[in-house]
Structures are given as C-alpha cells and as structure tokens.
C-alpha cells in the first residue's frame, strides 16, 4: 500500500523486519520444544535463542538487504533467512527447522500477522462506533427527512440515521472478532501435514506460545477457506464504510446541505473555483472501500490449490494481506475523524423537511382518515390527489400547502377538521419510539 494511505502501526506488522522476527520466534520455539523432547540437543535450542534473538532484535535495513542478497542465489526466502540467521548462531544452526517445511513457518507467521492486524481493525471499528454514538446522542431528536429512492419519504431524526450505522459497525466488530478467531491457527505438521518428521507436541507448544490454536488437519498449508473468510469480512466492513461515506456525500450536495465534512482553515476545495467545499474525505473512503472489497475475490480464488499444496496463493497473499488491512485501517480511522468533526445543519434539515409543503405526512393522514371512517381506497385517492396538487405547484404563486389541499376536498373535510388534521400531521408522532430504538442499539 502506498505511504499516503498507510498508518505506522499497521504498516509495521507487514514490514520485512516484523516478518523475520516472527519467523525467528517460530523457529526458536519449535527448537525449544524439540530440545525438551530430545529431538535435538537442549543446548542447541538454547544457542539458537541466545544467538538469534539479539540478531533479529537489532535487525535493520542492511540485514534485510543481506537476506535479499542470499535469496537472489538460493531462490528461496526461508532458506535465505535461515542462512542469515545461522551466521549469528554458529554450528548449532543446523538444528533449526528440524522436520519443518517452509509453509509451516510462512503460514504460522501469516496467522500471527493477520491476528495482529485484526486487533488493530477491531480497535478502529470501536473508534468509529464511539464517534457515531456521540453524534447520535447529540442529535437524537434532531428532525430530518428520511428518503427512499432519493425522494422525501417521512420524517426521522439525524440521531436515528447515525444509530443505524452504529448498529452496523457493531455487527462488523463481532464479525472481525470471529474472523480473527478463525485465522488464528498454527500449523507445524511438516511436509504434507502428516507429522512424519515433527512431533505434534511441537505444534501445540508453539501455538500456545503465539496465542494461536492448532490447525486440526493441514496438508502442507493451512486451508485457505480461513483466509477467504477473513478477507470477506474485511470486504463487508469496507461496505459499511462506503455506506456511511455515501450518506455524507449525499447530505453535502448543494441542493441538500444538511451536513458536511469539516472545512479546515486554509483548506482549498478547488484549484479553479474558490467557492468549492467538496466531500473529499468521504469520496476518498468510497475509493478505498472499493479496493478492500476487490481483495476478497482473489482470497476466494485461493481456496482451491492443487492436491496438498501449490504456491498459487502465495503471491496473492503477499499483496492482499498488507494492502487490504492497511487500506481498511486507514479508512476506518479517517471515517472516525470525519464523523467526530462532521458539521451538521439542523436548520437546513427543517427547511428540507417542510420543503414539499407537508406532503411527507401523507401516511399519517391516510391512517387518520381510515380511522375516521373513510375506506382505505377512498382515503388513499384523496391524500394522493392533495399531495400531487401540492407537489406540482411548489414554488408557484398560487401554491397551497398539503393541509389546505386536503381540506378543500369535501370527502376529507366531512370526516376531519383542521385541528384533527394538524394533530395527525404533528412531526412528533414520528419520534415517539426513538427512545425505544436507542435503547435497542445502545443498551
């Protein structure tokens, strides 16, 4: 992922130095258990830890370059690393990697990286939830218009809008927790996964030390359905990011102007038009979400490998592992900041709410007329006629509001006077169960 969209903590998980330190920890832990079991000398296990530990702890760019140089000859990344590591251990280095295959190290390392990435993403989602909760409570009873098909529907509150997104991110938090648990597996089962050359107790020991579960049955790799589920979860979270970003983009449109991204002092919206205040953050989030969703497809394609193993998945994961998690980490934290500072215009919401002359109260009037004695078909026809009369003359000199267009219909005035109509059209009727919904969402 390009530096522009990379936050240091997430990027560090995928750095060569971090990867090599995890590789060493796997090798060292495996050697320690083998030393305990008598597979290798216990002194060799101690030497691996004593010689390799300081070497990887002090690892820098020059060391990464040295490993790359070795790999240019060996054409094998794990062998290159073991060769470099052995330079600091001495003769006991021959006891490293006993009975293991490269995938044991690579897959277990990837599991560690993905669980660490998941921990950051869970924290990121919680930051979004906190921002949404704060703003939802702030605007719990701020009236605004709800829209279906982009058209005014019925009144809602801006707090309910945000509560809806909060609930979605709450579900996504649980999905990430489940995805983390599924990917947190260790496999040190040797070539083809039969434990022919390594004791299963080594795998159990290493898994426990790394905070992983053991893979119940592996081939030469951990089954890739686990990884596919992980990246699919990231795609779902990205969908939630884009849904909220799209809402902000729509609300910021010049014709709507109900909310907008915070405009910083000195910020410029356009190189050509000084008046512009563009929804650049939410547009950026929309683009990042597209990337993250796109990574789910290659992860799904990785499920099918030849027999017990091939490496068609490897190149894919070297790209999508860092890129998907780094992009989503950046997107979530940008979203949290955007929602914290979102500028909200309740007055404009009121203007839009009444901008169609009261027709948004049509359902409540329909129900009131049926309860007053009209048939549903008759009431619907009368309400629709009044609504269309209001709609078609909006802004014209002879325009009348929905209320007046209702009362001029004899069939309406016969069963309902102005006071009863005003009671039916009271916006507060729409908000009488807001507390109930908030209690469901926020507890």
């Amino acid at each position: 992922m390009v530096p522009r969209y990379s936050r240091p903590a997430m990027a560090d998980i995928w750095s060569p130095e971090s990867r090599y330190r995890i590789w060493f920890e796997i090798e060292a832990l495996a050697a320690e258990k083998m030393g305990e079991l008598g597979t290798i000398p216990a002194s060799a296990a101690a030497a691996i830890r004593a010689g390799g530990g300081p070497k990887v702890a002090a690892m820098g760019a020059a060391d990464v370059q040295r490993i790359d140089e070795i790999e240019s000859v060996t054409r094998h990344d794990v062998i290159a690393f073991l060769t470099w590591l052995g330079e600091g251990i001495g003769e006991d280095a021959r006891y490293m990697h006993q009975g293991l295959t490269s995938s044991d190290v690579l897959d277990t390392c990837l599991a560690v990286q993905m669980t660490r990435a998941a921990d950051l993403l869970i924290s990121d989602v919680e930051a979004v939830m906190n921002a949404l909760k704060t703003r939802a409570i702030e605007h719990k009873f701020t009236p605004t218009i709800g829209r279906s098909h982009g058209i005014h529907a019925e009144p809602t509150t801006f707090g309910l809008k945000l509560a809806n997104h909060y609930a979605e991110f709450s579900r996504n938090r649980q999905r990430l927790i489940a995805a983390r648990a599924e990917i947190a597996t260790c496999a040190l089962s040797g070539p083809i996964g039969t434990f022919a050359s390594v004791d299963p107790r080594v795998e159990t020991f290493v898994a426990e030390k790394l905070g992983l579960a053991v893979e119940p049955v592996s081939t030469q790799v951990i089954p890739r359905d686990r990884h596919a589920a992980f990246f699919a979860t990231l795609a779902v979270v990205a969908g939630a990011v884009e849904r909220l970003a799209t809402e902000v983009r729509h609300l910021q449109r010049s014709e709507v102007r109900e909310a907008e991204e915070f405009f910083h002092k000195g910020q410029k919206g356009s190189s050509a038009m000084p008046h512009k205040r563009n929804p650049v953050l939410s547009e950026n989030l929309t683009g990042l979400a597209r990337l993250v969703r796109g990574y789910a497809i290659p992860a799904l394609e990785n499920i099918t490998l030849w027999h017990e193993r091939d490496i068609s998945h490897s190149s894919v994961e070297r790209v999508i592992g860092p890129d998907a998690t780094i992009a989503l980490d950046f997107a979530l934290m940008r979203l949290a900041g955007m929602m914290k500072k979102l500028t909200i215009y309740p007055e404009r919401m009121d203007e839009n709410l009444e901008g169609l002359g009261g027709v948004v109260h049509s359902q409540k009037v329909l129900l009131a007329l049926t309860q007053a004695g009209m048939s549903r078909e008759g009431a619907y026809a009368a309400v629709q006629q009044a609504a269309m009369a209001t709609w078609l003359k909006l802004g014209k000199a002879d325009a009348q509001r929905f209320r007046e267009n209702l009362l001029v219909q004899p069939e309406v005035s016969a069963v309902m006077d102005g006071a009863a109509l005003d009671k039916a059209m009271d916006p507060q009727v729409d908000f009488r169960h807001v507390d109930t919904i908030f209690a469901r969402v926020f507890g």
Side-chain angles (χ1 to χ4, degrees):
M1 179 55 63
V2 296
R4 183 182 184 92
Y5 302 127
S6 301
R7 298 192 335 125
M10 185 65 84
D12 182 66
I13 291 173
W14 302 102
S15 70
E17 293 87 348
S18 292
R19 181 174 72 253
Y20 290 138
R21 288 177 185 130
I22 298 169
W23 285 10
F24 169 73
E25 192 62 22
I26 294 167
E27 296 283 2
L29 288 171
E32 287 169 6
K33 189 62 179 179
M34 290 177 189
E36 179 186 320
L37 296 173
T39 307
I40 66 173
S43 60
I48 291 170
R49 175 68 74 179
K55 189 173 176 68
V56 295
M59 175 177 272
D63 299 293
V64 173
Q65 183 178 354
R66 170 64 181 147
I67 295 171
D68 289 343
E69 291 170 353
I70 298 171
E71 186 182 351
S72 69
V73 176
T74 63
R75 305 289 176 172
H76 196 291
D77 53 356
V78 174
I79 292 175
F81 170 73
L82 293 173
T83 300
W84 170 84
L85 188 60
E87 294 171 352
I89 295 173
E91 283 199 22
D92 283 326
R94 70 182 187 274
Y95 291 110
M96 288 191 300
H97 207 66
Q98 289 281 310
L100 304 182
T101 185
S102 298
S103 289
D104 289 333
V105 177
L106 295 172
D107 277 10
T108 301
C109 172
L110 182 58
V112 172
Q113 290 174 302
M114 292 174 76
T115 54
R116 290 178 181 176
D119 288 337
L120 286 181
L121 293 173
I122 291 166
S123 177
D124 294 344
V125 167
E126 290 170 349
V128 173
M129 291 171 63
N130 288 337
L132 287 171
K133 181 177 181 178
T134 298
R135 302 312 299 274
I137 292 172
E138 177 187 352
H139 291 280
K140 184 177 183 180
F141 289 106
T142 300
T144 190
I145 187 63
R147 298 173 173 89
S148 57
H149 308 279
I151 307 300
H152 285 203
E154 291 194 351
T156 183
T157 77
F158 196 70
L160 281 177
K161 274 183 177 280
L162 299 182
N164 186 285
H165 290 281
Y166 175 95
E168 182 176 6
F169 278 103
S170 179
R171 294 190 296 273
N172 281 325
R173 179 180 178 275
Q174 294 305 313
R175 290 180 182 118
L176 282 169
I177 291 171
R180 183 198 187 281
E182 184 165 5
I183 202 63
T185 56
C186 168
L188 296 180
S189 51
I192 314 302
T194 61
F195 294 102
S197 53
V198 59
D199 193 303
R201 289 175 289 181
V202 174
E203 180 185 68
T204 301
F205 176 79
V206 174
E208 186 176 300
K209 292 295 184 181
L210 295 177
L212 304 174
V214 296
E215 179 60 48
V217 53
S218 58
T219 54
Q220 196 169 323
V221 295
I222 292 174
R224 257 45 195 180
D225 62 290
R226 294 183 181 275
H227 303 71
F230 184 89
F231 288 104
T233 298
L234 301 194
V236 173
V237 178
V241 170
E242 184 174 7
R243 190 170 83 91
L244 181 50
T246 300
E247 180 71 18
V248 172
R249 291 172 67 188
H250 280 310
L251 295 178
Q252 190 163 336
R253 284 181 296 138
S254 302
E255 296 82 0
V256 180
R257 292 185 293 118
E258 293 179 358
E260 68 174 348
E261 297 171 9
F262 182 79
F263 200 78
H264 294 264
K265 183 179 180 181
Q267 183 174 341
K268 305 293 187 292
S270 167
S271 63
M273 296 167 283
H275 73 278
K276 294 298 291 296
R277 294 163 69 100
N278 301 329
V280 292
L281 299 180
S282 47
E283 290 175 344
N284 170 259
L285 292 173
T286 297
L288 290 173
R290 291 171 183 167
L291 280 177
V292 177
R293 285 200 305 274
Y295 294 130
I297 299 301
L300 291 166
E301 298 288 343
N302 274 356
I303 293 174
T304 304
L305 302 176
W306 285 18
H307 302 298
E308 279 64 51
R309 187 221 180 183
D310 66 51
I311 64 164
S312 60
H313 64 288
S314 177
S315 56
V316 174
E317 290 166 357
R318 289 174 191 262
V319 174
I320 69 173
D323 280 13
T325 55
I326 289 173
L328 186 56
D329 171 60
F330 181 89
L332 286 167
M333 292 313 295
R334 169 158 282 186
L335 181 63
M338 184 180 80
M339 296 312 297
K340 282 181 183 178
K341 294 184 176 182
L342 189 71
T343 304
I344 298 166
Y345 299 111
E347 299 83 3
R348 181 61 182 170
M349 292 178 184
D350 284 337
E351 291 175 16
N352 287 338
L353 186 60
E354 294 302 326
L356 295 185
V359 299
V360 297
H361 305 297
S362 67
Q363 181 188 203
K364 296 195 293 293
V365 174
L366 170 64
L367 297 177
L369 288 173
T370 60
Q371 291 166 6
M374 289 183 68
S375 70
R376 180 175 176 83
E377 292 76 12
Y380 193 102
V383 172
Q384 187 178 46
Q385 181 178 337
M388 293 306 103
T390 308
W391 189 291
L392 294 174
K393 290 196 173 184
L394 286 172
K396 297 181 180 179
D398 58 344
Q400 292 193 107
R401 291 185 62 81
F402 180 51
R403 179 184 186 277
E404 284 66 47
N405 285 324
L406 282 165
L407 289 174
V408 297
Q409 297 186 53
E411 61 270 36
V412 173
S413 58
V415 297
M416 185 173 288
D417 60 16
L421 196 56
D422 290 338
K423 182 178 180 181
M425 296 173 66
D426 182 359
Q428 293 306 312
V429 174
D430 297 285
F431 310 143
R432 59 187 173 184
H433 296 303
V434 169
D435 282 326
T436 299
I437 298 172
F438 264 61
R440 289 177 174 180
V441 174
F442 300 113

